[in-house]
mmCIF file of all heavy atoms in Angstrom:
data_model
loop_
_atom_site.group_PDB
_atom_site.id
_atom_site.type_symbol
_atom_site.label_atom_id
_atom_site.label_comp_id
_atom_site.label_asym_id
_atom_site.label_seq_id
_atom_site.Cartn_x
_atom_site.Cartn_y
_atom_site.Cartn_z
ATOM 1 N N LYS A 707 1.297 -2.529 -24.214
ATOM 2 C CA LYS A 707 0.565 -2.621 -22.950
ATOM 3 C C LYS A 707 0.075 -1.239 -22.525
ATOM 4 O O LYS A 707 0.762 -0.240 -22.760
ATOM 5 C CB LYS A 707 1.477 -3.182 -21.861
ATOM 6 C CG LYS A 707 1.801 -4.646 -22.047
ATOM 7 C CD LYS A 707 2.634 -5.105 -20.870
ATOM 8 C CE LYS A 707 3.000 -6.563 -20.981
ATOM 9 N NZ LYS A 707 3.871 -6.967 -19.866
ATOM 10 N N VAL A 708 -1.067 -1.221 -21.870
ATOM 11 C CA VAL A 708 -1.620 0.049 -21.368
ATOM 12 C C VAL A 708 -1.343 0.139 -19.872
ATOM 13 O O VAL A 708 -1.740 -0.741 -19.109
ATOM 14 C CB VAL A 708 -3.142 0.127 -21.625
ATOM 15 C CG1 VAL A 708 -3.707 1.436 -21.063
ATOM 16 C CG2 VAL A 708 -3.439 0.001 -23.118
ATOM 17 N N ILE A 709 -0.621 1.194 -19.489
ATOM 18 C CA ILE A 709 -0.387 1.448 -18.064
ATOM 19 C C ILE A 709 -1.165 2.703 -17.686
ATOM 20 O O ILE A 709 -0.916 3.781 -18.221
ATOM 21 C CB ILE A 709 1.125 1.545 -17.727
ATOM 22 C CG1 ILE A 709 1.319 1.988 -16.276
ATOM 23 C CG2 ILE A 709 1.905 2.439 -18.649
ATOM 24 C CD1 ILE A 709 2.737 1.767 -15.754
ATOM 25 N N ALA A 710 -2.146 2.540 -16.822
ATOM 26 C CA ALA A 710 -2.962 3.689 -16.398
ATOM 27 C C ALA A 710 -2.158 4.523 -15.415
ATOM 28 O O ALA A 710 -1.673 4.017 -14.399
ATOM 29 C CB ALA A 710 -4.255 3.202 -15.758
ATOM 30 N N ALA A 711 -2.005 5.813 -15.744
ATOM 31 C CA ALA A 711 -1.214 6.723 -14.897
ATOM 32 C C ALA A 711 -2.124 7.807 -14.337
ATOM 33 O O ALA A 711 -3.293 7.894 -14.696
ATOM 34 C CB ALA A 711 -0.105 7.343 -15.736
ATOM 35 N N SER A 712 -1.533 8.617 -13.443
ATOM 36 C CA SER A 712 -2.281 9.732 -12.842
ATOM 37 C C SER A 712 -3.504 9.206 -12.094
ATOM 38 O O SER A 712 -4.614 9.710 -12.264
ATOM 39 C CB SER A 712 -2.659 10.733 -13.947
ATOM 40 O OG SER A 712 -3.274 11.870 -13.432
ATOM 41 N N ILE A 713 -3.285 8.203 -11.266
ATOM 42 C CA ILE A 713 -4.373 7.594 -10.491
ATOM 43 C C ILE A 713 -4.450 8.284 -9.137
ATOM 44 O O ILE A 713 -3.436 8.471 -8.474
ATOM 45 C CB ILE A 713 -4.112 6.077 -10.359
ATOM 46 C CG1 ILE A 713 -4.405 5.432 -11.712
ATOM 47 C CG2 ILE A 713 -4.953 5.464 -9.246
ATOM 48 C CD1 ILE A 713 -4.223 3.947 -11.756
ATOM 49 N N ARG A 714 -5.644 8.657 -8.735
ATOM 50 C CA ARG A 714 -5.809 9.466 -7.522
ATOM 51 C C ARG A 714 -6.359 8.701 -6.328
ATOM 52 O O ARG A 714 -6.397 9.239 -5.218
ATOM 53 C CB ARG A 714 -6.726 10.658 -7.828
ATOM 54 C CG ARG A 714 -6.273 11.512 -9.003
ATOM 55 C CD ARG A 714 -5.240 12.548 -8.574
ATOM 56 N NE ARG A 714 -4.434 13.020 -9.706
ATOM 57 C CZ ARG A 714 -4.832 13.911 -10.599
ATOM 58 N NH1 ARG A 714 -6.010 14.451 -10.496
ATOM 59 N NH2 ARG A 714 -4.019 14.273 -11.566
ATOM 60 N N GLY A 715 -6.864 7.484 -6.534
ATOM 61 C CA GLY A 715 -7.433 6.752 -5.395
ATOM 62 C C GLY A 715 -7.648 5.293 -5.729
ATOM 63 O O GLY A 715 -7.648 4.911 -6.903
ATOM 64 N N PRO A 716 -7.841 4.461 -4.686
ATOM 65 C CA PRO A 716 -7.989 3.018 -4.889
ATOM 66 C C PRO A 716 -9.165 2.642 -5.771
ATOM 67 O O PRO A 716 -9.103 1.680 -6.533
ATOM 68 C CB PRO A 716 -8.201 2.452 -3.482
ATOM 69 C CG PRO A 716 -8.105 3.561 -2.547
ATOM 70 C CD PRO A 716 -7.922 4.846 -3.271
ATOM 71 N N ARG A 717 -10.231 3.420 -5.691
ATOM 72 C CA ARG A 717 -11.415 3.126 -6.503
ATOM 73 C C ARG A 717 -11.061 3.165 -7.999
ATOM 74 O O ARG A 717 -11.516 2.352 -8.796
ATOM 75 C CB ARG A 717 -12.477 4.177 -6.163
ATOM 76 C CG ARG A 717 -13.787 4.028 -6.819
ATOM 77 C CD ARG A 717 -14.591 2.905 -6.251
ATOM 78 N NE ARG A 717 -15.162 2.129 -7.337
ATOM 79 C CZ ARG A 717 -15.844 1.016 -7.178
ATOM 80 N NH1 ARG A 717 -16.015 0.516 -5.984
ATOM 81 N NH2 ARG A 717 -16.346 0.395 -8.208
ATOM 82 N N GLN A 718 -10.216 4.138 -8.358
ATOM 83 C CA GLN A 718 -9.811 4.256 -9.769
ATOM 84 C C GLN A 718 -8.970 3.062 -10.221
ATOM 85 O O GLN A 718 -8.993 2.704 -11.391
ATOM 86 C CB GLN A 718 -9.020 5.545 -9.981
ATOM 87 C CG GLN A 718 -9.871 6.798 -9.899
ATOM 88 C CD GLN A 718 -9.053 8.041 -10.192
ATOM 89 O OE1 GLN A 718 -7.892 8.126 -9.806
ATOM 90 N NE2 GLN A 718 -9.668 8.992 -10.857
ATOM 91 N N VAL A 719 -8.238 2.482 -9.273
ATOM 92 C CA VAL A 719 -7.430 1.302 -9.630
ATOM 93 C C VAL A 719 -8.379 0.184 -10.075
ATOM 94 O O VAL A 719 -8.166 -0.477 -11.094
ATOM 95 C CB VAL A 719 -6.549 0.849 -8.442
ATOM 96 C CG1 VAL A 719 -5.805 -0.430 -8.784
ATOM 97 C CG2 VAL A 719 -5.585 1.951 -8.036
ATOM 98 N N LEU A 720 -9.469 0.017 -9.310
ATOM 99 C CA LEU A 720 -10.453 -1.025 -9.668
ATOM 100 C C LEU A 720 -11.087 -0.711 -11.023
ATOM 101 O O LEU A 720 -11.268 -1.598 -11.859
ATOM 102 C CB LEU A 720 -11.548 -1.120 -8.601
ATOM 103 C CG LEU A 720 -11.076 -1.398 -7.184
ATOM 104 C CD1 LEU A 720 -12.269 -1.668 -6.282
ATOM 105 C CD2 LEU A 720 -10.128 -2.589 -7.143
ATOM 106 N N ASP A 721 -11.427 0.575 -11.227
ATOM 107 C CA ASP A 721 -12.013 0.964 -12.525
ATOM 108 C C ASP A 721 -11.068 0.580 -13.662
ATOM 109 O O ASP A 721 -11.500 0.117 -14.717
ATOM 110 C CB ASP A 721 -12.255 2.481 -12.578
ATOM 111 C CG ASP A 721 -13.340 2.933 -11.618
ATOM 112 O OD1 ASP A 721 -14.139 2.089 -11.172
ATOM 113 O OD2 ASP A 721 -13.362 4.144 -11.285
ATOM 114 N N MET A 722 -9.789 0.773 -13.425
ATOM 115 C CA MET A 722 -8.802 0.493 -14.479
ATOM 116 C C MET A 722 -8.696 -0.992 -14.789
ATOM 117 O O MET A 722 -8.603 -1.393 -15.935
ATOM 118 C CB MET A 722 -7.425 1.058 -14.086
ATOM 119 C CG MET A 722 -7.375 2.565 -14.154
ATOM 120 S SD MET A 722 -7.775 3.157 -15.835
ATOM 121 C CE MET A 722 -9.518 3.467 -15.748
ATOM 122 N N PHE A 723 -8.742 -1.826 -13.758
ATOM 123 C CA PHE A 723 -8.683 -3.259 -14.042
ATOM 124 C C PHE A 723 -9.967 -3.716 -14.715
ATOM 125 O O PHE A 723 -9.953 -4.609 -15.544
ATOM 126 C CB PHE A 723 -8.325 -4.063 -12.796
ATOM 127 C CG PHE A 723 -6.878 -3.859 -12.444
ATOM 128 C CD1 PHE A 723 -6.487 -3.362 -11.222
ATOM 129 C CD2 PHE A 723 -5.898 -4.103 -13.397
ATOM 130 C CE1 PHE A 723 -5.151 -3.131 -10.937
ATOM 131 C CE2 PHE A 723 -4.554 -3.879 -13.122
ATOM 132 C CZ PHE A 723 -4.189 -3.391 -11.893
ATOM 133 N N ARG A 724 -11.085 -3.054 -14.376
ATOM 134 C CA ARG A 724 -12.353 -3.414 -15.025
ATOM 135 C C ARG A 724 -12.305 -3.136 -16.527
ATOM 136 O O ARG A 724 -12.844 -3.901 -17.317
ATOM 137 C CB ARG A 724 -13.507 -2.660 -14.363
ATOM 138 C CG ARG A 724 -14.825 -3.388 -14.559
ATOM 139 C CD ARG A 724 -16.002 -2.734 -13.865
ATOM 140 N NE ARG A 724 -16.118 -1.346 -14.224
ATOM 141 C CZ ARG A 724 -16.029 -0.331 -13.361
ATOM 142 N NH1 ARG A 724 -15.829 -0.575 -12.078
ATOM 143 N NH2 ARG A 724 -16.139 0.903 -13.756
ATOM 144 N N VAL A 725 -11.622 -2.043 -16.928
ATOM 145 C CA VAL A 725 -11.560 -1.780 -18.378
ATOM 146 C C VAL A 725 -10.436 -2.576 -19.054
ATOM 147 O O VAL A 725 -10.269 -2.496 -20.259
ATOM 148 C CB VAL A 725 -11.466 -0.267 -18.726
ATOM 149 C CG1 VAL A 725 -12.651 0.497 -18.184
ATOM 150 C CG2 VAL A 725 -10.155 0.349 -18.296
ATOM 151 N N GLY A 726 -9.668 -3.308 -18.268
ATOM 152 C CA GLY A 726 -8.708 -4.249 -18.868
ATOM 153 C C GLY A 726 -7.300 -3.724 -19.108
ATOM 154 O O GLY A 726 -6.618 -4.209 -20.017
ATOM 155 N N VAL A 727 -6.850 -2.758 -18.288
ATOM 156 C CA VAL A 727 -5.464 -2.298 -18.464
ATOM 157 C C VAL A 727 -4.484 -3.411 -18.066
ATOM 158 O O VAL A 727 -4.841 -4.342 -17.343
ATOM 159 C CB VAL A 727 -5.143 -1.024 -17.638
ATOM 160 C CG1 VAL A 727 -5.956 0.158 -18.109
ATOM 161 C CG2 VAL A 727 -5.296 -1.263 -16.156
ATOM 162 N N ASP A 728 -3.255 -3.289 -18.545
ATOM 163 C CA ASP A 728 -2.221 -4.270 -18.211
ATOM 164 C C ASP A 728 -1.503 -3.890 -16.926
ATOM 165 O O ASP A 728 -0.912 -4.730 -16.256
ATOM 166 C CB ASP A 728 -1.183 -4.329 -19.344
ATOM 167 C CG ASP A 728 -1.835 -4.641 -20.666
ATOM 168 O OD1 ASP A 728 -2.147 -5.824 -20.885
ATOM 169 O OD2 ASP A 728 -2.068 -3.709 -21.470
ATOM 170 N N ALA A 729 -1.498 -2.577 -16.625
ATOM 171 C CA ALA A 729 -0.684 -2.094 -15.509
ATOM 172 C C ALA A 729 -1.277 -0.803 -14.956
ATOM 173 O O ALA A 729 -1.997 -0.085 -15.651
ATOM 174 C CB ALA A 729 0.742 -1.840 -16.003
ATOM 175 N N VAL A 730 -0.942 -0.538 -13.693
ATOM 176 C CA VAL A 730 -1.328 0.745 -13.081
ATOM 177 C C VAL A 730 -0.103 1.294 -12.360
ATOM 178 O O VAL A 730 0.726 0.536 -11.862
ATOM 179 C CB VAL A 730 -2.464 0.580 -12.042
ATOM 180 C CG1 VAL A 730 -3.798 0.329 -12.698
ATOM 181 C CG2 VAL A 730 -2.157 -0.520 -11.041
ATOM 182 N N THR A 731 -0.002 2.609 -12.322
ATOM 183 C CA THR A 731 1.022 3.224 -11.477
ATOM 184 C C THR A 731 0.344 4.241 -10.590
ATOM 185 O O THR A 731 -0.559 4.959 -11.019
ATOM 186 C CB THR A 731 2.171 3.844 -12.290
ATOM 187 O OG1 THR A 731 3.148 4.329 -11.346
ATOM 188 C CG2 THR A 731 1.733 4.973 -13.206
ATOM 189 N N MET A 732 0.772 4.265 -9.329
ATOM 190 C CA MET A 732 0.090 5.141 -8.367
ATOM 191 C C MET A 732 1.064 5.723 -7.359
ATOM 192 O O MET A 732 2.096 5.106 -7.053
ATOM 193 C CB MET A 732 -0.988 4.340 -7.635
ATOM 194 C CG MET A 732 -0.435 3.254 -6.769
ATOM 195 S SD MET A 732 -1.692 2.047 -6.326
ATOM 196 C CE MET A 732 -1.764 1.077 -7.806
ATOM 197 N N ALA A 733 0.715 6.907 -6.862
ATOM 198 C CA ALA A 733 1.519 7.519 -5.806
ATOM 199 C C ALA A 733 1.438 6.630 -4.559
ATOM 200 O O ALA A 733 0.465 5.881 -4.382
ATOM 201 C CB ALA A 733 0.977 8.920 -5.512
ATOM 202 N N TYR A 734 2.440 6.744 -3.696
ATOM 203 C CA TYR A 734 2.501 5.863 -2.527
ATOM 204 C C TYR A 734 1.242 5.935 -1.637
ATOM 205 O O TYR A 734 0.750 4.895 -1.191
ATOM 206 C CB TYR A 734 3.773 6.172 -1.719
ATOM 207 C CG TYR A 734 3.945 5.253 -0.559
ATOM 208 C CD1 TYR A 734 4.288 3.924 -0.741
ATOM 209 C CD2 TYR A 734 3.723 5.714 0.742
ATOM 210 C CE1 TYR A 734 4.408 3.068 0.337
ATOM 211 C CE2 TYR A 734 3.847 4.863 1.824
ATOM 212 C CZ TYR A 734 4.190 3.540 1.616
ATOM 213 O OH TYR A 734 4.301 2.696 2.684
ATOM 214 N N PRO A 735 0.679 7.134 -1.389
ATOM 215 C CA PRO A 735 -0.534 7.174 -0.555
ATOM 216 C C PRO A 735 -1.695 6.372 -1.142
ATOM 217 O O PRO A 735 -2.526 5.844 -0.399
ATOM 218 C CB PRO A 735 -0.881 8.675 -0.492
ATOM 219 C CG PRO A 735 0.406 9.374 -0.774
ATOM 220 C CD PRO A 735 1.164 8.487 -1.721
ATOM 221 N N VAL A 736 -1.754 6.258 -2.463
ATOM 222 C CA VAL A 736 -2.832 5.463 -3.069
ATOM 223 C C VAL A 736 -2.591 3.970 -2.781
ATOM 224 O O VAL A 736 -3.518 3.218 -2.456
ATOM 225 C CB VAL A 736 -2.944 5.725 -4.595
ATOM 226 C CG1 VAL A 736 -4.061 4.875 -5.204
ATOM 227 C CG2 VAL A 736 -3.176 7.199 -4.881
ATOM 228 N N LEU A 737 -1.321 3.569 -2.853
ATOM 229 C CA LEU A 737 -0.985 2.178 -2.537
ATOM 230 C C LEU A 737 -1.339 1.873 -1.078
ATOM 231 O O LEU A 737 -1.932 0.839 -0.760
ATOM 232 C CB LEU A 737 0.514 1.950 -2.793
ATOM 233 C CG LEU A 737 1.062 0.553 -2.523
ATOM 234 C CD1 LEU A 737 0.373 -0.485 -3.398
ATOM 235 C CD2 LEU A 737 2.567 0.519 -2.781
ATOM 236 N N GLU A 738 -1.007 2.818 -0.191
ATOM 237 C CA GLU A 738 -1.338 2.651 1.233
ATOM 238 C C GLU A 738 -2.847 2.525 1.417
ATOM 239 O O GLU A 738 -3.316 1.691 2.189
ATOM 240 C CB GLU A 738 -0.884 3.895 2.007
ATOM 241 C CG GLU A 738 0.485 3.758 2.618
ATOM 242 C CD GLU A 738 0.800 4.954 3.499
ATOM 243 O OE1 GLU A 738 0.407 6.087 3.149
ATOM 244 O OE2 GLU A 738 1.452 4.739 4.536
ATOM 245 N N ALA A 739 -3.583 3.363 0.682
ATOM 246 C CA ALA A 739 -5.045 3.334 0.802
ATOM 247 C C ALA A 739 -5.604 2.001 0.312
ATOM 248 O O ALA A 739 -6.616 1.519 0.806
ATOM 249 C CB ALA A 739 -5.661 4.495 0.029
ATOM 250 N N MET A 740 -4.925 1.382 -0.671
ATOM 251 C CA MET A 740 -5.382 0.075 -1.150
ATOM 252 C C MET A 740 -5.197 -1.006 -0.093
ATOM 253 O O MET A 740 -5.927 -1.984 -0.042
ATOM 254 C CB MET A 740 -4.598 -0.337 -2.403
ATOM 255 C CG MET A 740 -5.081 0.323 -3.658
ATOM 256 S SD MET A 740 -4.166 -0.264 -5.092
ATOM 257 C CE MET A 740 -4.897 -1.873 -5.391
ATOM 258 N N LEU A 741 -4.167 -0.818 0.734
ATOM 259 C CA LEU A 741 -3.845 -1.821 1.749
ATOM 260 C C LEU A 741 -4.831 -1.818 2.908
ATOM 261 O O LEU A 741 -5.091 -2.847 3.518
ATOM 262 C CB LEU A 741 -2.491 -1.481 2.377
ATOM 263 C CG LEU A 741 -1.215 -1.968 1.766
ATOM 264 C CD1 LEU A 741 -0.043 -1.348 2.518
ATOM 265 C CD2 LEU A 741 -1.146 -3.487 1.854
ATOM 266 N N ASN A 742 -5.322 -0.624 3.232
ATOM 267 C CA ASN A 742 -6.052 -0.457 4.487
ATOM 268 C C ASN A 742 -7.558 -0.442 4.305
ATOM 269 O O ASN A 742 -8.072 -0.100 3.239
ATOM 270 C CB ASN A 742 -5.603 0.861 5.149
ATOM 271 C CG ASN A 742 -4.111 0.822 5.448
ATOM 272 O OD1 ASN A 742 -3.583 -0.215 5.840
ATOM 273 N ND2 ASN A 742 -3.437 1.936 5.229
ATOM 274 N N HIS A 743 -8.241 -0.831 5.389
ATOM 275 C CA HIS A 743 -9.703 -0.713 5.443
ATOM 276 C C HIS A 743 -10.061 -0.559 6.923
ATOM 277 O O HIS A 743 -9.523 -1.299 7.759
ATOM 278 C CB HIS A 743 -10.367 -1.971 4.863
ATOM 279 C CG HIS A 743 -11.826 -1.797 4.624
ATOM 280 N ND1 HIS A 743 -12.750 -1.733 5.645
ATOM 281 C CD2 HIS A 743 -12.533 -1.640 3.479
ATOM 282 C CE1 HIS A 743 -13.954 -1.552 5.133
ATOM 283 N NE2 HIS A 743 -13.838 -1.486 3.817
ATOM 284 N N PRO A 744 -10.955 0.368 7.274
ATOM 285 C CA PRO A 744 -11.273 0.562 8.697
ATOM 286 C C PRO A 744 -11.785 -0.712 9.365
ATOM 287 O O PRO A 744 -11.474 -0.974 10.532
ATOM 288 C CB PRO A 744 -12.352 1.651 8.691
ATOM 289 C CG PRO A 744 -12.649 1.970 7.276
ATOM 290 C CD PRO A 744 -11.643 1.307 6.406
ATOM 291 N N MET A 745 -12.528 -1.562 8.638
ATOM 292 C CA MET A 745 -13.056 -2.789 9.251
ATOM 293 C C MET A 745 -11.936 -3.784 9.561
ATOM 294 O O MET A 745 -12.035 -4.556 10.520
ATOM 295 C CB MET A 745 -14.097 -3.445 8.329
ATOM 296 C CG MET A 745 -15.380 -2.663 8.190
ATOM 297 S SD MET A 745 -16.167 -2.304 9.783
ATOM 298 C CE MET A 745 -16.710 -3.918 10.280
ATOM 299 N N THR A 746 -10.868 -3.768 8.752
ATOM 300 C CA THR A 746 -9.728 -4.654 9.029
ATOM 301 C C THR A 746 -9.098 -4.244 10.356
ATOM 302 O O THR A 746 -8.795 -5.081 11.214
ATOM 303 C CB THR A 746 -8.691 -4.556 7.886
ATOM 304 O OG1 THR A 746 -9.331 -4.822 6.665
ATOM 305 C CG2 THR A 746 -7.545 -5.529 8.091
ATOM 306 N N GLU A 747 -8.938 -2.919 10.508
ATOM 307 C CA GLU A 747 -8.313 -2.400 11.734
ATOM 308 C C GLU A 747 -9.178 -2.708 12.966
ATOM 309 O O GLU A 747 -8.688 -3.192 13.986
ATOM 310 C CB GLU A 747 -8.134 -0.889 11.580
ATOM 311 C CG GLU A 747 -7.000 -0.365 12.422
ATOM 312 C CD GLU A 747 -6.840 1.132 12.203
ATOM 313 O OE1 GLU A 747 -6.958 1.561 11.033
ATOM 314 O OE2 GLU A 747 -6.642 1.843 13.194
ATOM 315 N N ILE A 748 -10.499 -2.464 12.830
ATOM 316 C CA ILE A 748 -11.417 -2.737 13.951
ATOM 317 C C ILE A 748 -11.378 -4.232 14.292
ATOM 318 O O ILE A 748 -11.295 -4.627 15.457
ATOM 319 C CB ILE A 748 -12.861 -2.294 13.582
ATOM 320 C CG1 ILE A 748 -12.934 -0.767 13.516
ATOM 321 C CG2 ILE A 748 -13.891 -2.844 14.573
ATOM 322 C CD1 ILE A 748 -14.219 -0.217 12.898
#
Side-chain angles (χ1 to χ4, degrees):
K707 289 183 180 177
V708 178
I709 173 165
S712 185
I713 286 181
R714 305 276 158 79
R717 183 74 226 175
Q718 289 183 323
V719 175
L720 303 188
D721 292 342
M722 288 301 94
F723 288 122
R724 204 177 53 242
V725 301
V727 295
D728 304 282
V730 286
T731 184
M732 66 197 79
Y734 184 71
V736 179
L737 180 60
E738 266 187 323
M740 281 183 77
L741 273 174
N742 299 322
H743 192 288
M745 291 305 290
T746 305
E747 206 178 319
I748 290 169

